Amino acid sequence: MYQLLLHHFPLQYRHGLTTRLLTTTPHPLSKARPPPPPPPTVPEDTLTEAFLRGSGPGGQKINKTSSAVQLKHLPTGIVVKSQATRSQSQNRKIARTMLAQKLEFLEKGPESRVALKGERARKKKASSGKKTRRKYRALEEKVREGDEATGGKEDRLVDVETDGMLGGK
């Protein structure tokens, strides 16, 4: 991930409004990630395309129109269906992207774009979990130190029955 430095420029006055211009550059100590490989493409002559009626939520518009797209890659037999939107053209693009990603994963394995993206997401989630555990461990240590400093005699809530104290029955 890039860390960005913000360069502040003097305020410029234009039509009585004050604006501040900011530019960003990569931090000099940040690690530069290599650019991702170009997105894969699938030749049209290796595909069969079918337009199907959708199902599920979306009501009459989805159920009556053939907006769902099903693509089959003839050499491998992989079938992909997309019904993400109500637009047939958008579903065609989405289905082609999904099919290209699956084919790339079959071809390149862990070096594919999808695998690399998933690995980055997994690392980010693990890092977030570590940070949370570290935070709660530090908080627990502070509480322990506080207990040791006061000898465990901090102000704590205690259940006390007050029936007899206030003249109750």
Side-chain angles (χ1 to χ4, degrees), residues 77-130:
I78 295 176
V79 177
V80 174
K81 181 179 178 185
S82 174
Q83 143 182 339
T85 67
R86 296 189 330 186
S87 166
Q88 191 180 70
S89 62
Q90 287 179 350
N91 285 335
R92 288 180 75 200
K93 289 177 187 176
I94 293 168
R96 278 176 169 62
T97 303
M98 289 169 47
L99 183 62
Q101 288 173 349
K102 285 188 178 200
L103 290 173
E104 182 190 27
F105 186 74
L106 276 177
E107 182 183 321
K108 295 183 179 178
E111 297 298 318
S112 67
R113 291 168 62 98
V114 176
L116 294 174
K117 189 175 180 180
E119 183 66 20
R120 276 196 303 272
R122 188 191 63 76
K123 284 182 181 180
K124 189 174 182 179
K125 187 175 181 181
S127 174
S128 172
K130 269 186 183 177

Side-chain angles (χ1 to χ4, degrees), residues 13-42:
Y13 296 98
R14 182 176 180 204
H15 304 292
L17 299 175
T18 305
T19 59
R20 182 179 297 262
L21 299 175
L22 297 175
T23 62
T24 58
T25 57
H27 190 275
L29 300 178
S30 68
K31 295 178 185 176
R33 239 188 303 179
T41 57
V42 181

